[in-house]
Amino acid sequence: MVTIRAENEEATKKVARKLANYLEAGDVVLLEGNLGAGKTTFTKGLAEGLGIQRVIKSPTYTIIREYTDGRLPLYHMDVYRLEETGGDELGLEEYFQGEGVSVVEWATFIPEDLPKDYLQVKLVPAGTDLAEREISLSAVGRRYEALLEAFAKSNNQA
Ligand code: ADP
Ligand code: MG
């Protein structure tokens, strides 16, 4: 696990922008954290890092938004509203195995619809400053262990 302190919103985005450099087609990033923790903010940083120019809007009502103007397509999902129904009718698997990067907010609500391997990013308020977050990245599966190792190396140098 890699843990990083982000002192404000911009720092959170910066972590995400750096992580974006290591993402490849078919990668899945699950974002954990309570309402307002910074999941959508983190996604904005990822999008910036992928070179996406379009404005990232929270997909709370649409569930999935796709952005195809960057280095890789970004599939941004917020599955909060699927807590009762599950996600099996949405064909999420096609996104997870697709040509882009899938980022999922509230993934714990659809445990049965998640891929076996993924990178988990957890955002938790930390410290005394309201804007501080602790960002913990953990890998499940080989692909993500390698990804996280590469990211951690570069992050230590920077
Ligand atoms: P979520 O998607 O987890 O519900 P959002 O990213 O939509 O959260 O909202 C996070 C809110 O917290 C934003 O208003 C953002 O400006 C604020 N914020 C303050 N500090 C941070 C930080 N360090 N990282 C991310 N967001 C922060
Ligand atoms: Mg959100």
Side-chain angles (χ1 to χ4, degrees):
M1 187 160 84
V2 173
T3 304
I4 302 166
R5 273 293 171 115
E7 68 273 20
N8 54 36
E9 178 173 353
E10 179 51 30
T12 294
K13 281 192 191 165
K14 190 174 170 192
V15 172
R17 278 200 299 272
K18 280 192 193 169
L19 180 65
N21 293 329
Y22 296 91
L23 294 173
E24 293 172 5
D27 279 344
V28 177
V29 179
L30 306 184
L31 298 179
E32 303 297 340
N34 290 334
L35 189 68
K39 301 181 293 299
T40 300
T41 301
F42 191 90
T43 308
K44 287 178 182 173
L46 274 185
E48 283 175 20
L50 291 173
I52 290 167
Q53 308 271 329
R54 277 174 58 206
V55 176
I56 302 294
K57 289 186 190 156
S58 179
T60 306
Y61 295 100
T62 49
I63 300 176
I64 302 173
R65 286 182 189 268
E66 297 186 41
Y67 302 87
T68 52
D69 58 321
R71 177 173 72 82
L72 292 166
L74 174 66
Y75 313 130
H76 182 198
M77 308 172 204
D78 182 331
V79 299
Y80 187 82
R81 295 199 311 145
L82 299 181
E83 185 178 19
E84 311 273 297
T85 56
D88 52 335
E89 277 167 26
L90 284 169
L92 295 179
E93 201 152 289
E94 290 198 21
Y95 287 99
F96 295 147
Q97 295 172 357
E99 292 301 304
V101 173
S102 298
V103 175
V104 189
E105 300 189 32
W106 298 105
T108 50
F109 283 1
I110 55 160
E112 287 168 11
D113 303 295
L114 299 174
K116 182 164 96 343
D117 295 352
Y118 51 81
L119 185 75
Q120 186 193 66
V121 177
K122 190 167 185 179
L123 295 124
V124 180
T128 48
D129 192 317
L130 273 180
E132 241 182 284
R133 300 289 187 275
E134 188 173 86
I135 305 175
S136 313
L137 302 95
S138 39
V140 176
R142 278 207 165 153
R143 154 71 191 136
Y144 299 98
E145 283 165 14
L147 166 74
L148 191 52
E149 197 175 318
F151 167 77
K153 259 188 202 162
S154 77
N155 198 55
N156 285 339
Q157 283 159 7

